[in-house]
């Protein structure tokens, strides 16, 4: 089975990105109501870029909006995993599990206790 990253559609997205630039491509995608799987994945890749960069503009966004952004992304992943129930090899499953473990910082009992103490 071919992955999205191995598809012709993905290669065409990368070519389009080279032609018009990532910001223009993002705007093109955002104007559409329904996106292809490649467009969804490309947009997620763009989100990863900005959030991993600790983008200065994003740092000025209201915390509530950032939370809303992540909830929207998580709802999308929740639906995809439920519908697809993908067969993942152990390495990918371990990687995803490790990233989700990292993302739970702040919601488990230990970090919530820590955060409540430093906020006082």
């Amino acid at each position: 089975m071919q992955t999205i990253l191995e598809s012709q559609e993905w290669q065409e997205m990368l070519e389009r990105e080279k032609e018009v630039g990532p910001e223009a491509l993002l705007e093109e995608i955002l104007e559409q109501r329904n996106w292809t799987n490649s467009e969804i994945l490309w947009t997620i890749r763009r989100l990863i870029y900005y959030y991993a960069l600790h983008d200065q503009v994003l740092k000025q966004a209201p915390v509530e909006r950032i939370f809303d952004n992540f909830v929207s992304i998580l709802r999308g992943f929740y639906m995809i995993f439920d519908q697809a129930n993908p067969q993942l090899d152990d390495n990918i499953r371990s990687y995803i599990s490790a990233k989700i473990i990292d993302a739970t910082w702040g919601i488990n009992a230990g970090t919530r206790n820590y955060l409540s103490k430093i906020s006082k």
Side-chain angles (χ1 to χ4, degrees), residues 20-76:
V20 301
E23 299 307 319
L25 181 55
L26 179 61
E27 291 303 317
E28 288 177 13
I29 293 170
L30 293 176
E31 290 176 6
Q32 300 175 62
R33 178 170 154 62
N34 291 314
W35 300 355
T36 66
N37 289 349
S38 291
E39 290 167 337
I40 291 169
L41 195 61
W42 185 90
T43 304
I44 290 171
R45 187 184 78 162
R46 204 72 191 139
L47 288 167
I48 292 167
Y49 169 79
Y50 275 104
Y51 282 107
L53 186 64
H54 297 252
D55 183 70
Q56 293 303 311
V57 174
L58 281 175
K59 285 183 174 183
Q60 296 174 31
V63 172
E64 293 81 11
R65 181 58 203 213
I66 299 298
F67 275 118
D68 290 344
N69 290 355
F70 281 104
V71 168
S72 294
I73 292 168
L74 290 172
R75 282 184 179 141

Side-chain angles (χ1 to χ4, degrees), residues 11-30:
Q11 294 306 314
E12 290 169 5
M13 288 280 303
L14 296 180
E15 287 300 316
R16 182 75 181 140
E17 179 182 15
K18 286 179 190 175
E19 289 172 17
V20 301
E23 299 307 319
L25 181 55
L26 179 61
E27 291 303 317
E28 288 177 13
I29 293 170
L30 293 176

Side-chain angles (χ1 to χ4, degrees), residues 73-88:
I73 292 168
L74 290 172
R75 282 184 179 141
F77 280 125
Y78 186 88
M79 291 175 65
I80 289 168
F81 267 87
D82 180 41
Q83 291 294 313
N85 193 15
Q87 295 296 318
L88 304 171

Side-chain angles (χ1 to χ4, degrees), residues 76-117:
F77 280 125
Y78 186 88
M79 291 175 65
I80 289 168
F81 267 87
D82 180 41
Q83 291 294 313
N85 193 15
Q87 295 296 318
L88 304 171
D89 76 24
D90 287 343
N91 290 332
I92 292 174
R93 190 172 298 284
S94 293
Y95 179 80
I96 291 170
S97 298
K99 292 301 175 186
I100 293 173
I101 288 168
D102 288 347
T104 64
W105 189 93
I107 68 167
N108 65 37
T111 54
R112 290 185 71 76
N113 186 36
Y114 167 77
L115 290 171
S116 69
K117 286 181 182 178

